[in-house]
Structures are given as C-alpha cells and as structure tokens.
C-alpha cells in the first residue's frame, strides 16, 4: 500500500498519468463506466490518475433523501474503486455538477481522502486546488501538476471562472516550486472548465460549412471547427462548443508569464477530444468517461500522458476509448443512443425545443386544415 505522504517520483526517467473526467454518475453507477476505467487501467498501468470533476451527477434524484451524504460517499467509492484496488495514487478536483448535491466540495474531498491512495498535494488552496510535484532523480520537483477547481454554475447562467484569488495562489505556488527546484518547474494544469483561450485553437466558419459547431453565450450564433494547423493529434474531434465562462479573469495570461505551464487539459464538454497549441501552451480536451450522462457513444474515453524527466513538456498523449478497449456493445443501447443525441447544454437545448414546438404547431395546423376541408 502507498504510505501516507509518499512522494510521487519519476521511475527510470518516466512518469505516466491517466486523465479521467465526467464520469457524472448517479448512485446506480453504469457498468460500462467501470468497464472502461478497469480496461484502461489494466492496459496502461499509470503512475497517477487525475479526476477532473463531475465525478457525480449532482442533480440526480438518486441522491435525494435523508441519507444523501452516505449515498454520495458510496457512489464515489464505486467510481474510484478500480483505481484503489490497484493501489494507484489519484488526485481529485471538482466540476460544476459535484456540488449540486447540496454537499459541499469541502465535505466531498474528505470522502476521497479516506483512501490512502488519495494524493493530498501541496500548496493547497481550498478543496480542489493544489500542486502535485513529481520528483526527479535529484529529489527536487522535475515536473508539477496543478489541480484547479474551476468553479461551478454562474448566477444568471453560464459558468464561473477561476477567481483572482486562485490566480494569485498559482503565482505564489509557482514561486514556491521554483525555490525548491532552483528554476521554474515545467507544469501541466488539470481542471474542469476550459479557459476562454480555447477559442483561439478553433477557426470560425459559416453556418453551413462542414462540421460547423454552433457556439453560445459570449460566442452566440458563431460557428467553429478545430484549426487544423494547430492541432497536435490526428484523431481529434469537436462535436460541441467550448463552454467557457462569460468572464475571462486572466488565468491563461498568468500561466504563460514565466513559461512554466506547457499544457492545460479539461473535461466539461463531453463530446470533444483534441489538443491544440496557442501562445506556447497546449489546450486539450479529454472526452467524458461516464455512460449515465450524454456522450459520444463508445467514443467515451480516458486520456493517457507519458512524461520524461529530461523534458516533461515534450510529452506524448493519446485517448483510450471504450470502442477500442472493449468494443461497440454497450449494456443499455437505447439509453446510450438517446444520450448520444441529447442536447449538451441548456443553451443548446433551447433551439431544439423551439424547433420541436414549431413542428408540433405545424402538424396541428395541417391536421386542423384537413379536418376543415373534410
């Protein structure tokens, strides 16, 4: 078993991370979600697993009742069990749905910390924002992982942004790591909600252009596709717009100041999977992993990163999908079909509802006209 406070280290100059996001499970955890996680862990045997929010579907009716806290605790236990039983260290932050249960993230983090495999991190700021240094052969931080709680739903719609206080925390943590290592430490950021700059790795196109994806809110009625020239992976796809906060608080700008952050990876938008580069920083998506919420069928996946101690920024990454690991057969095909074509956000649902209402009114008018004629 992993001992309390044990430091993460490069092994023979290598370190492997698995990114799992948006399991977004109810109390009845989907068998296919666990199948995907188990198969991916067996295939890759990572040194660390990072969960970046929406582990649970906070609005699920399965979490209602007097024993809500115990149900949530058991659900979290089921989700992380594949990692725990293999004795793999894991780090956790939160998304916009976790706290919708009414149980705070501060309380939920305690459920994870009951497991010895849970990485407590350093330079802690709140319940889901902290550093995870990885030591090199000299015992100093050779790479760092920032886990950032990017907030939840904003009042009036949309999503919260990382706060100015968190940005100041990042700057302080950056300098603290520098003092330990004698230089700025190459770092990767994992959080739930994408920063505004994700739109800089996209190309605006016309409504009827091939693969055009409609955006909302700050990019209302604009259409985008990934910009091929900056994409670093060949098997990328984008089937929904980046759901960024309405306000840009300067997180990306702060993280590019000293050149220590080489990548930011998120979840949140379940049907996206790409890695593009903007202003020297990779901006990437990992698709959703959960089968109890909307997603791109058997393209649901986890993402693996391979880092070298010599140059962590020169990393390799790839996704492992349910389709590739297990196949196309799912436990609940009808539900999965509906989830595949369900609207991705409230903003995306509104145009669909309007079209449906217009269609119903049109059909009713035709029926009434036929009745009048005959």
């Amino acid at each position: 078993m992993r001992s309390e406070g044990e430091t993460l280290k490069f092994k023979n100059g290598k370190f492997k991370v698995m990114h799992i996001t948006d399991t977004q499970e109810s109390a009845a955890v989907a068998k296919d979600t666990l199948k995907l996680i188990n198969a991916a862990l067996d295939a890759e045997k990572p040194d660390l697993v990072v969960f970046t929010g929406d582990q649970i579907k906070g609005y699920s009716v399965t979490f209602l009742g007097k024993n809500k806290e115990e149900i949530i605790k058991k659900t979290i236990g089921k989700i992380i069990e594949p990692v725990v039983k293999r004795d793999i260290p894991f780090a956790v932050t939160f998304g916009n749905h976790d706290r919708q249960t009414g149980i705070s993230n501060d309380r939920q983090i305690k459920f994870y910390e009951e497991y010895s495999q849970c990485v407590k991190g350093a330079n802690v700021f709140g319940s889901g924002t902290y550093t995870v240094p990885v030591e090199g052969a000299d015992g100093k931080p050779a790479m760092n992982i920032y886990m950032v709680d990017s907030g939840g739903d904003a009042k009036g719609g949309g999503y919260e942004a990382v706060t100015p206080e968190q940005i100041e925390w990042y700057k302080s943590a950056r300098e603290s790591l520098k003092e330990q290592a004698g230089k700025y430490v190459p770092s990767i950021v994992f959080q739930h909600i994408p920063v505004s700059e994700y739109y800089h790795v996209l190309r605006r196109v016309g409504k009827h252009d091939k693969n055009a994806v409609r955006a909302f809110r700050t990019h209302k009625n604009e259409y985008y596709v990934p910009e091929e020239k900056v994409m670093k992976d060949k098997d990328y796809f984008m089937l929904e717009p980046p759901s960024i906060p309405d306000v840009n608080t300067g997180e990306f700008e702060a993280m590019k100041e000293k050149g220590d952050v080489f990548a930011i990876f998120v979840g949140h938008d379940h049907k996206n999977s790409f890695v593009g580069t903007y202003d020297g920083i990779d901006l990437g998506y990992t698709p959703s992993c959960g089968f109890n919420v909307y997603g791109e069928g058997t393209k649901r996946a986890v993402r693996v990163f391979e880092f070298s101690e010599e140059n962590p920024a020169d990393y390799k990454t790839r996704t492992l999908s349910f389709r590739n690991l297990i196949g196309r057969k799912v436990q609940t095909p009808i539900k999965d079909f509906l989830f595949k074509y369900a609207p991705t956000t409230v903003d995306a649902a509104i145009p669909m509802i309007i079209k449906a209402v217009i269609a119903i009114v049109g059909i009713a008018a035709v029926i009434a006209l036929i009745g009048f004629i005959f």
Side-chain angles (χ1 to χ4, degrees):
M1 293 292 288
R2 184 173 182 271
S3 61
E4 185 74 21
E6 183 180 340
T7 306
L8 296 173
K9 301 177 181 180
F10 278 89
K11 300 172 185 176
N12 298 317
K14 304 295 181 184
F15 193 80
K16 184 183 287 187
V17 175
M18 182 174 290
H19 181 197
I20 298 176
T21 190
D22 297 272
T23 51
Q24 208 162 320
E25 279 293 349
S26 65
V29 177
K31 291 180 180 178
D32 284 334
T33 301
L34 298 178
K35 274 186 179 180
L36 172 54
I37 295 173
N38 277 298
L41 292 172
D42 285 341
E44 295 296 331
K45 298 177 176 59
D47 300 301
L48 174 71
V49 173
V50 295
F51 290 93
T52 56
D54 286 6
Q55 280 78 247
I56 56 177
K57 188 191 294 187
Y59 53 87
S60 173
V61 295
T62 63
F63 294 132
L64 298 177
K66 294 182 179 179
N67 58 340
K68 176 194 298 186
E69 185 167 304
E70 187 61 29
I71 295 171
I72 291 169
K73 186 176 179 180
K74 286 183 178 179
T75 303
I76 288 171
K78 291 177 186 176
I79 294 166
I80 65 174
E81 182 183 12
V83 180
V84 169
K85 72 181 183 182
R86 290 170 175 82
D87 197 27
I88 301 171
F90 68 88
V92 176
T93 190
F94 297 100
N96 54 301
H97 289 303
D98 297 285
R99 68 188 188 191
Q100 288 177 342
T101 59
I103 305 298
S104 70
N105 292 348
D106 288 342
R107 180 61 183 143
Q108 288 187 44
I109 197 68
K110 301 299 182 184
F111 302 157
Y112 294 98
E113 290 177 348
E114 289 184 11
Y115 298 88
S116 63
Q117 294 82 4
C118 182
V119 175
K120 306 300 191 296
N123 302 299
V124 179
F125 180 93
S127 56
T129 301
Y130 51 94
T131 62
V132 182
V134 183
E135 287 185 359
D138 60 1
K140 298 178 181 180
M143 183 182 83
N144 176 61
I145 296 167
Y146 286 104
M147 300 294 291
V148 177
D149 184 345
S150 52
D153 298 329
K155 293 180 180 179
Y159 303 100
E160 294 175 337
V162 166
T163 66
E165 290 78 13
Q166 283 176 295
I167 294 171
E168 289 306 309
W169 163 86
Y170 155 71
K171 292 178 179 179
S172 176
R174 178 179 69 195
E175 297 303 318
S176 175
L177 286 163
K178 181 186 177 185
E179 287 182 14
Q180 297 173 51
K183 62 179 181 179
Y184 285 113
V185 178
S187 300
I188 184 169
V189 178
F190 287 104
Q191 62 186 57
H192 187 72
I193 296 172
V195 294
S196 300
E197 284 75 9
Y198 268 68
Y199 275 89
H200 288 292
V201 298
L202 308 181
R203 175 165 52 90
R204 188 173 175 182
V205 297
K207 178 178 180 180
H208 301 293
D209 284 17
K210 184 179 179 181
N211 299 323
V213 173
R214 182 181 183 179
F216 302 94
R217 302 190 71 80
T218 54
H219 293 273
K220 185 177 180 181
N221 294 328
E222 298 174 357
Y223 291 80
Y224 292 88
V225 297
E227 176 54 78
E228 293 182 16
K229 291 183 291 186
V230 302
M231 290 292 124
K232 298 185 70 172
D233 51 345
K234 62 179 181 178
D235 298 321
Y236 63 85
F237 58 85
M238 186 183 84
L239 299 174
E240 59 178 303
S243 297
I244 60 173
D246 289 353
V247 178
N248 186 342
T249 52
E251 179 187 2
F252 180 89
E253 287 298 314
M255 289 180 171
K256 77 170 189 177
E257 284 176 351
K258 304 298 182 181
D260 57 316
V261 172
F262 57 80
I264 301 173
F265 275 82
V266 302
H268 191 49
D269 300 310
H270 301 190
K271 298 166 77 171
N272 291 344
S273 179
F274 64 72
V275 185
T277 305
Y278 172 66
D279 223 356
I281 297 179
D282 291 346
L283 301 175
Y285 269 109
T286 296
S288 67
C289 177
F291 280 77
N292 255 334
V293 70
Y294 88 87
E296 184 52 16
T298 54
K299 288 185 179 180
R300 289 178 174 88
V302 303
R303 182 178 286 279
V304 172
F305 300 80
E306 295 179 358
F307 301 101
S308 68
E309 181 179 348
E310 183 180 356
N311 185 5
D314 186 22
Y315 65 97
K316 296 178 181 177
T317 185
R318 62 188 181 281
T319 55
L320 289 82
S321 71
F322 186 95
R323 182 175 301 180
N324 290 336
L325 289 170
I326 299 164
R328 295 174 181 268
K329 187 176 181 180
V330 295
Q331 291 280 328
T332 53
I334 295 176
K335 183 172 74 171
D336 194 60
F337 176 83
L338 295 174
F339 276 147
K340 182 175 180 178
Y341 295 102
T344 57
T345 63
V346 173
D347 292 314
I350 291 172
M352 296 175 68
I353 294 170
I354 292 173
K355 287 180 181 179
V357 170
I358 291 173
I360 292 170
V361 170
I363 292 170
V366 170
I367 292 173
L369 180 61
I370 292 173
F372 176 78
I373 293 173
F374 294 99

